[in-house]
Amino acid sequence: MKISVSFLKARYSFFKTLTFLEKSSADYLHVDVMDGLFVNNRTPFSKEMLDALKRNKKPKEVHLMTLHLKKFIDIFSYIEPEVIVYEFEATTKHEELISYIKTKNCRVGIAISPLTNLDYLLPYLTEIDMVLVMSVIPGYGGQKFIPDTLKRIEKLKKIRKEKKANFLLHVDGGVNESTILDLKSVKPDRVVVGSYVCGAVDFDKQLEKLEEYL
Ligand code: DX5
Ligand code: ZN
């Protein structure tokens, strides 16, 4: 399991947090983007913030929790992420969006909310590079991990095998030193960790604790 760190809920300033993360053992930076429409929360990014993200040496993944997806794909492809993930529930135009993200030379991920039936993803699973299984309701950092997520990961793993698909399975929300133990039993490819790391004084100490369980 690789670790991707979300800085949505952070103790330090945006710029300080990015510097700490760049020096840390985190495998990826997870950039949460919220528009105040698809979810209530809003995360404004200035040009300086986008530049700092672009300069940061960690590989990046962008998680769009927004409507107007093409607009946000245009804005965030500037930071050269490895992958852009959008919320399945935010659109019905999946074919179009998958192709659009590919034109930006990014891999494509689809995030699925805990209450959405996984079967809706079936037509797209051989066309995308990752599924982000949401283990909280999208919108806020610091929520509790929803245990049913474990079954959803197992189901998607089974489907992946049956379809001979190549998408990676990532989990996002409520991951900490206790829930990582449950996740270990179903082994997603990557976990997103937010407040457990960025809400703490010492990021490295938190990452070390998680890494013990990987
Ligand atoms: C939730 C976000 C997550 C979240 C992770 O809507 O997509 O990335 O901020 O933070 P924690 O680990 O605090 O749940
Ligand atoms: Zn996220």
Side-chain angles (χ1 to χ4, degrees):
M1 284 192 277
K2 297 279 182 195
I3 296 185
S4 185
V5 177
S6 152
F7 46 85
L8 179 66
K9 212 171 168 208
R11 168 182 288 264
Y12 303 108
S13 74
F14 174 84
F15 296 99
K16 213 169 175 178
T17 301
L18 280 197
T19 310
F20 286 157
L21 288 176
E22 190 168 37
K23 290 187 199 135
S24 78
S25 60
D27 298 301
Y28 300 86
L29 284 186
H30 180 90
V31 184
D32 285 307
V33 183
M34 303 183 181
D35 62 352
L37 294 171
F38 179 73
V39 290
N40 290 332
N41 209 355
R42 226 182 126 244
T43 52
F45 282 88
S46 63
K47 175 77 169 64
E48 287 72 23
M49 289 162 90
L50 292 174
D51 284 335
L53 281 167
K54 186 181 172 131
R55 275 196 310 271
N56 197 290
K57 290 193 181 68
K58 292 286 181 195
K60 278 140 264 175
E61 52 189 39
V62 169
H63 177 192
L64 299 177
M65 285 162 275
T66 69
L67 301 179
H68 310 299
L69 287 161
K70 281 191 176 170
K71 179 182 105 181
F72 285 98
I73 291 165
D74 288 344
I75 297 172
F76 283 88
S77 53
Y78 172 73
I79 69 165
E80 297 172 357
E82 262 187 12
V83 56
I84 297 182
V85 189
Y86 68 88
E87 290 284 326
F88 182 81
E89 302 78 7
T91 181
T92 52
K93 297 180 178 158
H94 298 288
E95 301 287 354
E96 194 181 320
L97 280 162
I98 292 168
S99 310
Y100 193 67
I101 295 174
K102 287 182 181 168
T103 66
K104 305 285 181 182
N105 284 326
C106 291
R107 298 194 189 130
V108 185
I110 299 184
I112 183 149
S113 281
L115 302 175
T116 305
N117 191 324
L118 291 177
D119 291 346
Y120 289 126
L121 291 179
L122 288 174
Y124 313 106
L125 288 176
T126 50
E127 292 174 53
I128 61 175
D129 305 289
M130 77 101 126
V131 174
L132 184 64
V133 182
M134 293 307 296
S135 36
V136 296
I137 304 288
Y140 295 94
Q143 300 182 72
K144 270 215 169 79
F145 182 87
I146 298 173
D148 199 44
T149 308
L150 302 171
K151 279 188 225 128
R152 288 163 72 79
I153 298 166
E154 277 176 335
K155 182 168 180 193
L156 280 165
K157 276 198 155 173
K158 201 165 157 247
I159 295 171
R160 178 166 72 179
K161 209 167 169 191
E162 282 164 9
K163 284 194 158 245
K164 294 191 172 64
N166 294 315
F167 61 89
L168 293 175
L169 270 168
H170 298 186
V171 177
D172 185 6
V175 177
N176 55 37
E177 64 193 67
S178 138
T179 52
I180 195 124
L181 288 174
D182 301 325
L183 283 165
K184 209 181 151 184
S185 63
V186 293
K187 283 200 186 65
D189 300 295
R190 197 180 296 176
V191 292
V192 179
V193 187
S195 47
Y196 179 75
V197 170
C198 292
V201 177
D202 185 344
F203 293 7
D204 293 325
K205 208 165 108 192
Q206 299 299 92
L207 283 164
E208 262 170 41
K209 280 195 254 173
L210 290 180
E211 283 157 3
E212 265 178 48
Y213 301 116
L214 298 184

